[in-house]
Amino acid sequence: MTGYRFSCTRLSNKNGSGLLYSRFRKFANDAADAAAARPTRKVKIVEVGPRDGLQNESATLSAETKITLVKKLVDAGCPFIECASFVSPKWVPAMADSSKVMTGLQKWRMEEYRGTSTDTDTDTDRKQVIFSALTPNIKGFTDAMNAGEGAVDEVAIFGAASETFSMKNVGCGIEESLDRFRKVTDAANELGVPVRGYVSCVLGCPYEETVDIAKVAEVSGRMVEMGCHEISLGDTIGVGTPYATIRMINEVKSFVDTDKLAVHFHDTYGQALANIYAALEEGVGIVDSSVAGLGGCPYASGASGNVSTEDVVYMLNGMDISTASI
């Protein structure tokens, strides 16, 4: 990191401002030297656009278009991409072709492994890219595992800290949803497939409004207990503020190690980047984002899109934080 250097002229007057200015210059330059010597921090970005971004779009895209989007994200250097959702097409029709999408991506990836692809305009090592998919129940998990051998590198379960939202989103209350998720994590652990856990409505609910952060922490802890390697804390309707974010994260830390925590912010009130900054200050090192700010939630009326990946990368670059594959 190249630090800012202060070269102000020392002032000399009867009030001693010259001495004060000199001390400030030394302090600022010492701080710049310390920052330059500090190891570059890394943040993992999980690109959720192909799943969370597209599931709420009014237009239905073809599997081929979705595959092209993911390929372009890989070429752009995205190492962690959530590509599909194995849910009932009755409830989320935009994800009805998830098996076809994952099969197509696996075929393309295997061509890269063998060196038979004609696509040579990228430096990204595709062998290191992680493709994930949502699997809310054991049927979804089974479908994901059948979508081309090795197509899905990671699966995700998605719960909530709100009883009403849980009923709307997965058709049952929190307790029953956790029982369902355990079947998924048990099956995934047996096959050696990593599981990511989502907790929705961590800072507000479209039905209950306020959410108890103790419940957020409890659900997060139980997901880790059943085998989730990472917990994504979702501000589903984008009502969070930096202060609320700090309070919530500190509550969750009592149940989950900080290095397992991710944040997932929607940008309804323009608070997403500020909330991410607050989370980073609390030690969180994983951020979900969506290309072009695509997204929303079928079960959260009024929720805007996710924070855009471009804006997150711009902010992190300005903070000298690496977003390379980790």
Side-chain angles (χ1 to χ4, degrees):
M1 172 179 175
T2 302
Y4 290 101
R5 305 296 302 185
F6 288 82
S7 57
C8 50
T9 302
R10 178 172 178 172
L11 302 178
S12 179
N13 58 39
K14 293 180 181 179
N15 295 327
S17 59
L19 178 61
L20 179 62
Y21 220 55
S22 178
R23 288 178 176 174
F24 172 76
R25 181 177 60 185
K26 183 178 185 305
F27 170 79
N29 289 337
D30 286 348
D33 289 338
R38 188 168 57 241
T40 301
R41 184 179 177 184
K42 294 182 179 181
V43 164
K44 171 183 173 181
I45 292 182
V46 178
E47 172 58 56
V48 300
R51 193 282 302 175
D52 197 24
L54 297 183
Q55 72 174 9
N56 209 45
E57 291 297 302
S58 56
T60 301
L61 303 180
S62 68
E64 290 73 21
T65 299
K66 295 175 183 177
I67 291 169
T68 298
L69 172 61
V70 174
K71 289 165 67 174
K72 288 182 178 295
L73 289 168
V74 172
D75 289 349
C78 298
F80 304 93
I81 307 175
E82 193 174 79
C83 305
S85 180
F86 289 85
V87 297
S88 170
K90 175 183 177 181
W91 302 114
V92 189
M95 295 287 108
D97 56 0
S98 287
S99 290
K100 188 175 181 180
V101 170
M102 296 311 303
T103 300
L105 286 172
Q106 181 65 354
K107 180 181 178 182
W108 170 69
R109 188 159 57 172
M110 292 308 295
E111 288 174 350
E112 293 299 315
Y113 286 171
R114 300 188 189 103
T116 59
S117 173
T118 58
D119 182 8
T120 58
D121 61 350
T122 177
D123 294 326
T124 302
D125 185 358
R126 295 188 180 96
K127 294 181 182 181
Q128 304 302 317
V129 175
I130 300 298
F131 290 150
S132 66
L134 260 64
T135 57
N137 49 44
I138 193 64
K139 182 185 184 306
F141 176 79
T142 301
D143 290 345
M145 294 300 100
N146 290 334
E149 185 177 353
V152 178
D153 304 305
E154 177 185 87
V155 298
I157 54 178
F158 50 99
S162 157
E163 285 287 348
T164 308
F165 187 86
S166 181
M167 289 294 301
K168 297 282 188 179
N169 197 36
V170 296
C172 62
I174 294 173
E175 196 63 37
E176 184 178 344
S177 72
L178 292 171
D179 289 339
R180 292 181 185 179
F181 298 152
R182 187 173 292 280
K183 295 177 182 178
V184 175
T185 56
D186 286 348
N189 291 337
E190 187 173 336
L191 295 177
V193 177
V195 183
R196 191 177 205 239
Y198 281 95
V199 183
S200 300
C201 299
V202 299
L203 292 170
C205 172
Y207 308 105
E208 299 177 9
E209 296 188 6
T210 59
V211 172
D212 185 356
I213 58 175
K215 178 59 71 173
V216 177
E218 178 193 343
V219 173
S220 300
R222 291 180 66 179
M223 284 185 169
V224 169
E225 180 187 356
M226 67 177 68
C228 292
H229 76 98
E230 199 168 281
I231 301 297
S232 178
L233 303 167
D235 182 15
T236 309
I237 55 175
V239 295
T241 62
Y243 178 68
T245 297
I246 291 169
R247 288 184 63 248
M248 181 270 297
I249 288 175
N250 277 291
E251 184 74 18
V252 176
K253 281 181 181 180
S254 62
F255 287 79
V256 182
D257 292 340
T258 308
D259 60 2
K260 294 181 182 293
L261 295 179
V263 287
H264 182 120
F265 288 106
H266 289 246
D267 206 22
T268 309
Y269 294 100
Q271 297 291 295
L273 285 178
N275 292 340
I276 290 170
Y277 183 87
L280 294 174
E281 290 294 290
E282 292 303 311
V284 174
I286 309 167
V287 176
D288 296 355
S289 61
S290 177
V291 60
L294 292 171
C297 179
Y299 301 101
S301 178
S304 71
N306 294 279
V307 65
S308 77
T309 303
E310 308 92 285
D311 287 348
V312 174
V313 171
Y314 181 84
M315 182 181 78
L316 295 178
N317 283 345
M319 297 169 65
D320 198 39
I321 293 177
S322 170
T323 56
S325 178
I326 51 177

